[in-house]
């Protein structure tokens, strides 16, 4: 079932004869290369269902937090509200999630997986778990340390980018 989901970007392997200058020495550029490769591999593992890492994450979060409000989904995924709206619209159009009125607030609604969404998520979780196991196995003993290091990096980078004295922010237009 193919939708309007964009195809994953291509591999960012070094191209012979191209001078990458300082890019090859940058942590962020190495992470971007790895992210593209991981996305392509994830897409291969879930292509049968046309599910990106973002869509998978949304399904997991909704399943584990029935009644999750769209704004909180956006916050949990680091999305703008409009991005969460498009994601929610896609999930509901597939019949995998639905909006239900919140019992404690007549003006609000929460997200819930449908029975179809729950069945789909079970298949996706199995495929993604196998995908992750294969990656960790390929990395050997370094896999667990790498994951811990990436988690730490996310915290450090977030702390630096949100610090009140951060002088590295771009000026507002």
């Amino acid at each position: 079932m193919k939708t309007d989901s964009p195809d994953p970007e291509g591999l960012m392997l070094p191209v012979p004869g191209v001078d990458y200058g300082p890019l090859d020495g940058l942590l962020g550029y190495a992470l971007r290369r790895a992210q593209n490769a991981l996305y392509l591999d994830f897409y291969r593992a879930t292509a049968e269902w046309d599910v990106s890492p973002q869509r998978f994450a949304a399904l997991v979060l909704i399943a584990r937090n029935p009644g999750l409000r769209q704004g909180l989904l956006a916050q949990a995924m680091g999305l703008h509200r409009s991005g969460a709206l498009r994601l929610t619209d896609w999930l509901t159009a597939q019949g995998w999630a639905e909006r239900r009125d919140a019992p404690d607030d007549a003006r609000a609604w929460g997200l819930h997986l449908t029975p179809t969404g729950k069945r789909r998520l079970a298949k996706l979780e199995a495929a993604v778990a196998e995908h992750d196991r294969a990656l960790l196995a390929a990395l050997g003993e370094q896999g667990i340390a790498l994951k811990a290091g990436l988690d730490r990096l996310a915290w450090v980078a977030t702390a630096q980018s949100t610090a009140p004295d951060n002088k590295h922010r771009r000026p507002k237009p």
Side-chain angles (χ1 to χ4, degrees):
M1 143 182 35
K2 191 70 176 156
T3 66
D4 61 353
S5 172
D7 289 332
E9 295 179 35
L11 290 174
M12 286 181 56
L13 298 176
V15 176
V18 174
D19 181 358
Y20 287 87
L23 293 176
D24 282 331
L26 297 175
L27 177 61
Y29 194 72
L31 285 170
R32 182 67 176 138
R33 280 184 174 162
Q35 179 186 23
N36 275 21
L38 288 169
Y39 186 89
L40 285 168
D41 197 45
F42 184 99
Y43 189 77
R44 178 203 49 77
T46 63
E48 177 182 345
W49 304 287
D50 191 29
V51 173
S52 66
Q54 189 177 58
R55 290 171 177 172
F56 174 71
L59 282 169
V60 169
L61 290 169
I62 294 167
R64 301 292 191 267
N65 302 278
L68 185 68
R69 297 209 175 135
Q70 187 172 290
L72 195 52
L73 175 66
Q75 185 179 353
M77 293 184 65
L79 299 173
H80 291 285
R81 292 176 74 99
S82 61
L85 174 63
R86 284 190 304 276
L87 187 55
T88 301
D89 285 348
W90 187 87
L91 293 172
T92 58
Q94 304 311 303
W96 298 353
E98 63 187 3
R99 296 171 172 102
R100 293 185 199 160
D101 291 336
D104 59 336
D105 186 347
R107 300 166 296 160
W109 46 262
L111 297 166
H112 298 265
L113 289 190
T114 63
T116 301
K118 290 176 184 178
R119 288 190 300 275
R120 182 57 40 96
L121 180 58
K123 291 177 182 178
L124 284 165
E125 283 180 331
V128 170
E130 179 55 36
H131 164 259
D132 205 56
R133 274 192 295 276
L135 289 171
L136 285 172
L139 290 169
E141 293 179 10
Q142 296 175 337
I144 294 171
L146 176 60
K147 184 183 178 311
L150 290 172
D151 287 341
R152 176 78 179 130
L153 176 61
W155 281 104
V156 169
T158 299
Q160 288 181 356
S161 68
T162 58
D165 62 343
N166 183 355
K167 295 175 178 61
H168 300 289
R169 293 187 197 179
R170 287 189 228 164
K172 292 184 180 178

